[in-house]
């Protein structure tokens, strides 16, 4: 089972809380991310690992990704051994990636499992494109902004403007789908979440990871196209189909292959919204 371009909501849940995981699987999340890393205390790692392996012995109702512990920690090897070959595993998320060799190493160990790399340090950002293009199994990259803030010593969003743009550009340059935004940590501030999503969408992000189910509808609304965007996309696709090449629309917009591709993506997202 794999995720698609229209996945917009990705819900993190601690791997050592099976009851919470079960609730997450019944939520509106497009993808549930079972976390074996930061959300799990060291003395709970083994339990979280075994509970997750039991969960993924059969395919669940929605795609499940697992964030394993960082390569180089005492827990990562055990995580990979426990998860290898499980039919319910949709993807692995690799935290704190700083070098493309980490992606290649994991792909060698689990060749049929889609991988996502999380960039959480200055070195990871500097290596963004090399990591994004490291292996065909890699399906996406994203930021881990809490650790990145600490590594860079920044306190507000202004200090993350360049890393955010960097990860969007690196993903596109490597032929990957647009990255999802990092979590918004205040689960009560839904207005702030919506505003943050709007800024992320303007930068080129698509969808967002979440910490609580109440954040999911806000994220989805923020990344679905507006009626005006849908109308423009329909006009673009229709004009391109009729002409077959670059052309100018009556409203002055110039249409080429890249614009048509973006319009198709908008209509895919619009069809998702219409189905809700």
């Amino acid at each position: 089972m794999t995720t698609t371009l229209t996945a917009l909501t990705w819900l993190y849940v601690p791997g050592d809380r099976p009851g919470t995981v079960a609730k997450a699987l019944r939520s509106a999340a497009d993808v549930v991310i079972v976390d074996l890393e930061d959300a799990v205390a060291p003395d709970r790692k083994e339990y979280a690992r075994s509970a997750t392996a039991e969960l993924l012995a059969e395919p669940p109702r929605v795609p499940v990704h697992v964030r394993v512990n960082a390569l180089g920690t005492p827990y990562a090897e055990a995580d990979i051994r426990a998860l290898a070959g499980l039919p319910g595993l949709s993807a692995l998320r690799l935290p704190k990636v700083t070098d493309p060799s980490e992606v290649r190493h994991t792909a060698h160990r689990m060749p049929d499992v889609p991988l996502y790399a999380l960039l959480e340090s200055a070195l990871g950002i500097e290596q963004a494109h090399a990591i994004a293009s490291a292996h065909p199994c890699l399906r996406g990259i994203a930021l881990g902004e809490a650790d990145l803030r600490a590594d860079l010593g920044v306190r507000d969003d202004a200090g993350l403007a360049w890393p955010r743009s960097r990860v969007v550009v690196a993903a596109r340059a490597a032929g990957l789908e647009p990255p999802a935004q990092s979590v918004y940590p205040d689960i009560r501030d839904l207005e702030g979440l919506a505003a943050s999503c709007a800024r992320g969408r303007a930068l080129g992000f698509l969808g967002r990871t979440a910490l609580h189910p109440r954040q999911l509808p806000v994220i989805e609304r923020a990344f679905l196209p507006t009626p005006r965007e849908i109308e423009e996309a329909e006009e673009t696709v229709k004009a391109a189909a009729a002409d077959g090449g670059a052309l100018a629309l009556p409203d002055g917009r110039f249409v080429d292959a890249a614009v048509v591709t973006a319009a198709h993506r908008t209509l895919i997202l619009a069809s998702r919204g219409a189905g809700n």
Side-chain angles (χ1 to χ4, degrees):
M1 186 187 300
T2 59
T3 58
T4 68
L5 175 64
T6 55
L8 296 180
T9 55
W10 317 62
L11 179 61
Y12 272 106
V13 62
D16 63 341
R17 300 180 189 174
T20 305
V21 174
K23 290 180 181 178
L25 292 172
R26 295 192 297 270
S27 74
D30 296 323
V31 179
V32 171
I33 304 173
V34 177
D35 190 14
L36 302 182
E37 195 215 10
D38 286 346
V40 179
D43 63 352
R44 299 275 290 175
K45 297 285 189 186
E46 185 174 352
Y47 172 70
R49 186 183 303 122
S50 62
T52 302
E54 182 177 351
L55 168 73
L56 299 179
E58 298 291 338
R61 62 177 296 273
V62 297
V64 172
H65 294 191
V66 177
R67 181 167 74 172
V68 296
N69 287 277
L71 297 183
T73 67
Y75 312 108
E77 181 63 26
D79 290 344
I80 291 173
R81 283 201 307 268
L83 296 170
L86 293 178
L89 178 65
S90 292
L92 280 186
R93 301 180 78 84
L94 308 178
K96 300 176 175 62
V97 176
T98 60
D99 191 272
S101 63
E102 297 171 68
V103 175
R104 291 193 289 266
H105 170 79
T106 308
H108 177 72
R109 295 292 309 279
M110 303 181 76
D112 298 322
V113 177
L115 304 176
Y116 289 77
L118 305 181
L119 313 183
E120 307 183 55
S121 66
L123 182 55
I125 296 301
E126 284 295 302
Q127 293 269 54
H129 180 255
I131 291 168
S133 55
H135 195 277
C137 284
L138 191 78
R139 303 297 172 80
I141 58 174
L143 292 177
E145 291 190 357
D147 282 10
L148 184 58
R149 286 178 189 271
D151 191 44
L152 296 177
V154 300
R155 294 180 176 271
D156 56 33
D157 279 4
L160 294 181
W162 185 81
R164 287 171 175 167
S165 291
R166 170 65 172 157
V167 77
V168 170
V169 172
R172 179 65 189 129
L176 302 176
E177 299 297 350
Q181 271 188 283
S182 185
V183 297
Y184 189 80
D186 188 342
I187 63 173
R188 297 166 297 182
D189 181 15
L190 299 184
E191 290 186 5
L193 170 62
S196 176
C197 288
R199 292 191 294 271
R201 186 181 179 204
L203 285 173
F205 288 94
L206 180 65
R208 189 164 200 166
T209 52
L211 295 173
H212 193 279
R214 69 166 61 101
Q215 296 178 311
L216 301 176
V218 178
I219 293 170
E220 182 172 46
R221 284 195 300 271
F223 286 95
L224 285 175
T226 65
R228 179 57 185 158
E229 289 169 336
I230 294 170
E231 181 182 352
E232 290 179 351
E234 290 173 340
E235 291 173 354
T236 297
V237 169
K238 182 178 179 180
D243 186 87
L247 70 158
L249 297 180
D251 62 6
R253 287 182 296 126
F254 182 78
V255 175
D256 62 8
V259 175
V260 174
T261 297
H264 280 292
R265 177 178 294 157
T266 295
L267 295 180
I268 290 172
L269 289 172
S271 66
R272 167 201 168 101
N276 289 344

